[in-house]
Amino acid sequence: MNQKSTHVVWEQSLITRQDREALNGHKSFVLWFTGLSGSGKSTLAHAVEKKLFEMGCRTFVLDGDNVRHGLSSNLGFSEDDRKENIRRIGEVAKLMMEAGIIAITAFISPFQVERQSVRNLIPHSDFIEIYCKASLETCESRDLKVLYKKARAGEIKNYTGINSPYEAPLKPELVVDTDALSVEESVITVIAFLVRHGVIAA
Amino acid sequence: MNQKSTHVVWEQSLITRQDREALNGHKSFVLWFTGLSGSGKSTLAHAVEKKLFEMGCRTFVLDGDNVRHGLSSNLGFSEDDRKENIRRIGEVAKLMMEAGIIAITAFISPFQVERQSVRNLIPHSDFIEIYCKASLETCESRDLKVLYKKARAGEIKNYTGINSPYEAPLKPELVVDTDALSVEESVITVIAFLVRHGVIAA
């Protein structure tokens, strides 16, 4: 959509992101989980948050539960609405990061172009895309909410993997093979990556 | 707008707001500044943030600068768009509060019904509405961005106080008379209120 805001010039905050990071004792950044429904994104995002919190980090998970019922409650599941949903989530993740928080998102976010748009909002090294890689078969066999079945039956439109595409990330910062790894192993993989890249302390 | 999201059931966070408050050593809540353009909302919001930050609190100011250029960049200044802007800000302030942050907002937010909608999102004692009370004459005389002048000339539509109403809060938690008080005095007034009401430590 177009930039519609005009007459918009405001003063800068007196507290910088660096000030907030210093108070918190850790960096802030965005962990963007992407993958099919049933690929374990949300479970992994919450488990990674728990681990980071136990390490003393300020964290927050943006997921369907707190976004679709609130900020995006006036959006449906058409392609335009799904794009606008991801756009809003990207903007909120950015604000959270600026507030000193490790913002963690867990949305299918199936389209490369949308994820790239979010990436473009955020300084290069602060956007960490994690692809939860699982086969459609695995995801469909999990189908906890019976949504794949409904999509196969044509009862749900635009369901990613069935009647809407999932575009796997081309160059994600990290791939977690959730077909092969347990949740615990996946958490270790993510935390090890963050330590190795110097964004959190061991 | 209507709740359009369907099939939306997700798991709870493993970390509670109380956990985050314990880590931070302070409560989280929403400070909602409202008042005419030029009433000193934004200046006061940033000054209060600075003071709270120096007291060791995690804070963040949502204002035109970081909202109108981002989350609400696809909204204009029609009545519907202004309402949607305030709705989004309310939802983000709530998320920030849930993340353990003292969320501070600085928007004209002229309509009682919108502010009430935001209030309804947030637990009773966690929403603190602060009315920056200044006469239209004072605000207009400040007119740093020459917007009142343009509104008087008909070049800006829906400008609060000129060709769109400002509905003063009926029962704000605090009124700050920014006609009479300096910024420093206003900050002291706000901080004293927060201490008196037990939401921050002295």
Side-chain angles (χ1 to χ4, degrees):
Chain A
M1 300 192 198
N2 295 327
Q3 165 74 253
K4 288 191 186 173
S5 299
T6 51
H7 316 300
V8 184
V9 183
W10 272 271
E11 59 227 273
Q12 282 289 307
S13 176
L14 304 172
I15 309 297
T16 66
R17 178 175 164 203
Q18 286 68 36
D19 293 331
R20 301 175 206 284
E21 290 178 335
L23 177 63
N24 289 341
H26 62 85
K27 291 187 187 182
S28 63
F29 50 90
V30 174
L31 279 190
W32 189 278
F33 287 90
T34 174
L36 289 167
S37 178
S39 65
K41 291 178 307 298
S42 192
T43 302
L44 181 54
H46 284 288
V48 165
E49 169 176 58
K50 185 161 185 285
K51 180 66 184 170
L52 287 171
F53 186 83
E54 288 165 358
M55 295 168 79
C57 297
R58 278 76 188 168
T59 56
F60 196 72
V61 176
L62 295 165
D63 63 9
D65 191 40
N66 56 24
V67 170
R68 277 284 183 183
H69 290 130
L71 182 64
S72 293
S73 62
N74 55 0
L75 298 174
F77 289 87
S78 69
E79 192 167 323
D80 277 355
D81 278 8
R82 293 177 71 183
K83 282 183 181 168
E84 172 63 8
N85 182 46
I86 296 300
R87 189 193 71 80
R88 292 183 192 175
I89 292 158
E91 293 286 359
V92 173
K94 182 186 181 188
L95 289 171
M96 292 245 169
M97 180 190 75
E98 288 173 352
I101 285 179
I102 299 172
I104 303 171
T105 70
F107 293 87
I108 300 172
S109 47
F111 301 114
Q112 180 63 26
V113 66
E114 307 168 357
R115 293 191 306 265
Q116 186 61 45
S117 295
V118 176
R119 187 182 281 272
N120 291 346
L121 290 177
I122 293 166
H124 174 66
S125 61
D126 299 332
F127 184 82
I128 298 166
E129 186 178 24
I130 301 179
Y131 174 29
C132 291
K133 189 176 179 183
S135 68
L136 181 60
E137 292 66 33
T138 303
C139 295
E140 210 167 344
S141 71
R142 289 177 187 155
D143 205 13
L144 296 175
K145 301 168 233 161
V146 207
L147 298 180
Y148 279 108
K149 198 176 165 196
K150 287 183 182 173
R152 288 274 184 209
E155 294 168 37
I156 303 175
K157 288 174 185 173
N158 297 315
Y159 200 77
T160 300
I162 304 299
N163 41 28
S164 185
Y166 178 78
E167 297 171 3
L170 301 176
K171 287 178 75 176
E173 274 69 16
L174 183 65
V175 178
V176 178
D177 183 346
T178 55
D179 267 348
L181 299 178
S182 69
V183 175
E184 292 70 23
E185 291 165 336
S186 299
V187 171
I188 290 168
T189 302
V190 174
I191 299 294
F193 174 88
L194 298 176
V195 171
R196 200 162 64 241
H197 286 258
V199 289
I200 61 168
Chain B
M1 300 191 198
N2 297 324
Q3 165 73 254
K4 288 191 186 172
S5 298
T6 51
H7 316 299
V8 185
V9 182
W10 272 273
E11 60 228 270
Q12 281 291 306
S13 176
L14 303 172
I15 308 297
T16 66
R17 178 175 162 202
Q18 287 68 35
D19 294 332
R20 301 176 206 284
E21 290 178 333
L23 177 64
N24 288 342
H26 63 84
K27 291 187 186 181
S28 63
F29 50 92
V30 174
L31 279 189
W32 190 277
F33 288 89
T34 174
L36 289 166
S37 177
S39 64
K41 293 178 307 296
S42 192
T43 302
L44 181 54
H46 284 288
V48 165
E49 168 175 59
K50 184 161 186 282
K51 180 67 184 168
L52 287 171
F53 186 83
E54 288 166 357
M55 296 168 78
C57 297
R58 277 76 188 168
T59 57
F60 196 72
V61 175
L62 294 165
D63 64 9
D65 191 40
N66 55 25
V67 170
R68 278 284 183 180
H69 290 129
L71 182 65
S72 293
S73 62
N74 55 359
L75 298 174
F77 288 87
S78 70
E79 192 168 324
D80 278 356
D81 278 8
R82 292 177 71 184
K83 283 184 181 168
E84 172 63 8
N85 183 46
I86 296 300
R87 190 193 72 79
R88 292 184 193 174
I89 292 157
E91 294 288 358
V92 174
K94 182 186 180 188
L95 290 170
M96 291 245 168
M97 180 189 75
E98 287 172 353
I101 285 179
I102 299 173
I104 302 172
T105 69
F107 293 88
I108 301 173
S109 48
F111 301 114
Q112 180 62 28
V113 66
E114 305 169 1
R115 294 192 306 265
Q116 186 61 45
S117 296
V118 176
R119 188 182 281 274
N120 292 345
L121 289 177
I122 293 166
H124 175 64
S125 61
D126 299 331
F127 183 82
I128 299 167
E129 186 179 24
I130 301 178
Y131 173 30
C132 290
K133 190 177 178 183
S135 68
L136 180 60
E137 291 67 33
T138 303
C139 296
E140 212 167 341
S141 72
R142 288 178 187 154
D143 204 13
L144 296 175
K145 299 168 234 158
V146 207
L147 298 180
Y148 279 107
K149 198 177 167 197
K150 288 184 182 171
R152 289 272 184 211
E155 293 169 38
I156 304 176
K157 290 174 182 171
N158 297 316
Y159 200 77
T160 299
I162 305 299
N163 41 29
S164 184
Y166 178 76
E167 298 171 1
L170 301 175
K171 287 179 75 176
E173 275 68 16
L174 182 65
V175 178
V176 178
D177 183 345
T178 56
D179 267 347
L181 300 178
S182 69
V183 175
E184 292 69 25
E185 290 165 337
S186 299
V187 170
I188 291 168
T189 302
V190 173
I191 299 293
F193 174 88
L194 298 176
V195 170
R196 202 162 63 240
H197 286 259
V199 288
I200 61 167

